[in-house]
Amino acid sequence: MDVRSRNHVRVTGRTGGPVVVLAHGFGCDQNMWRLVAPVLERDATVVVFDHVGSGHSDLSSWSRERYATLDGYVDDVLEICRDLALGPVVFVGHSVSAMMGVLAAAREPEAFAGLVLLAPSPCFIDDPATGYRGGFSAQDIDELLESLDSNYLGWSGAMAPVIMGNPDRPELGEELTNSFCRTDPEIARAFARVTFLSDHRADLACVTVPTLIAQCSSDAIAPPEIGPFIQGEIPGSRLVTLNATGHCPQLAAPEETAAAIAEFAASTASAR
């Protein structure tokens, strides 16, 4: 199967401008970008896709072995970029996809004009020995994964509103819950382990392309210390704290999120 069908790749927007690739996080699909993409399409070519196992991707292409680490997803990202043949792209990675962007840019920097790390976390687990705060203890993550294993739908209903934040807008939590529930539970369990057990702090220093770190002002999944930590590890990176709250600013504050991405994409284009 060709990569465009496998990952349900869609290309829209203006030709001749920056190429912006939008990558969704755990339990989601490209629909998460529906409020951001139209803004970006005014001045950029916009690429959205579904990770294998998510959305309208080809589920038969998923295998536990290939996607046991982020490397399988990184292979897909690089294959998509090569297949599009649109030149260096601005890769926008939300949550776990931010680290996919880090790994992809470290491996093939020439494929990227820049990275936008949206609500990123290189490691969700606290590391008391180094003073790193990921937001969860090892026991927290073990309990989270055990709950997911025993009752995925119940876990989705409980966790999605916490991840989304914005309790005054319950429709956002409901949307994320529904997105989680559409994901095959076996694939979701495997992807959750890759997401919450990975530690890619050491890979940050390997990034050499322009990088924007966009964290949210309040995020139950990625605490505020993470943004400055990543900025300190990626040479020359820039950090912005969005007014958006929750872990999914592309839904909670799409205008602000789109503006940050568009400004960064334009800056990378003018620098080339």
Side-chain angles (χ1 to χ4, degrees):
M1 174 173 288
D2 70 274
V3 62
R4 298 197 186 204
S5 297
R6 184 192 68 200
N7 287 92
H8 190 53
V9 178
R10 295 191 304 119
V11 182
T12 58
R14 187 176 74 84
T15 58
V19 181
V20 180
V21 178
L22 304 173
H24 65 83
F26 167 81
C28 304
D29 57 31
Q30 61 183 256
N31 193 52
M32 290 287 285
W33 298 107
R34 70 185 185 280
L35 303 178
V36 168
V39 179
L40 299 177
E41 288 167 0
R42 299 170 192 162
D43 299 301
T45 300
V46 177
V47 180
V48 293
F49 69 98
D50 295 329
H51 290 305
V52 170
S54 304
H56 292 285
S57 66
D58 176 48
L59 296 185
S60 69
S61 296
W62 186 84
S63 73
R64 187 174 296 276
E65 294 74 24
R66 177 176 173 85
Y67 298 104
T69 69
L70 288 188
D71 288 334
Y73 297 97
V74 172
D75 290 341
D76 290 351
V77 167
L78 292 172
E79 190 175 346
I80 290 168
C81 292
R82 286 192 290 266
D83 183 80
L84 292 171
L86 295 173
V89 307
V90 174
F91 181 87
V92 182
H94 173 233
S95 193
V96 66
S97 283
M99 291 307 108
M100 296 178 197
V102 164
L103 295 174
R107 193 190 302 178
E108 296 186 19
E110 66 279 3
F112 299 92
L115 297 179
V116 178
L117 310 181
L118 184 63
S121 178
C123 179
F124 287 95
I125 300 175
D126 298 337
D127 184 359
T130 63
Y132 172 81
R133 182 165 180 248
F136 300 86
S137 68
Q139 183 178 347
D140 290 336
I141 294 298
D142 287 343
E143 291 174 354
L144 181 151
L145 295 174
E146 287 173 8
S147 174
L148 189 152
D149 285 344
S150 62
N151 182 359
Y152 176 65
L153 295 182
W155 178 90
S156 298
M159 280 298 296
V162 175
I163 293 171
M164 179 59 72
N166 296 275
D168 57 326
R169 301 162 69 188
E171 69 278 5
L172 295 179
E174 291 170 7
E175 177 171 344
L176 190 59
T177 299
N178 292 334
S179 178
F180 281 8
C181 292
R182 286 194 300 270
T183 305
D184 179 276
E186 179 187 358
I187 294 174
R189 292 183 186 106
F191 196 12
R193 279 173 165 72
V194 173
T195 298
F196 291 108
L197 296 177
S198 294
D199 183 351
H200 292 288
R201 289 176 289 171
D203 297 297
L204 297 171
C206 300
V207 174
T208 58
V209 303
T211 300
L212 174 68
I213 306 147
Q215 66 179 12
C216 295
S217 59
S218 175
D219 185 341
I221 302 300
E225 293 91 340
I226 286 181
F229 174 83
I230 295 176
Q231 184 182 27
E233 295 294 313
I234 298 181
S237 59
R238 184 162 65 91
L239 171 64
V240 60
T241 299
L242 305 174
N243 289 324
T245 59
H247 193 59
C248 301
Q250 66 270 62
L251 289 181
E255 298 86 358
E256 183 185 18
T257 303
I261 296 170
E263 178 187 3
F264 177 75
S267 72
T268 63
S270 63
R272 290 173 56 196

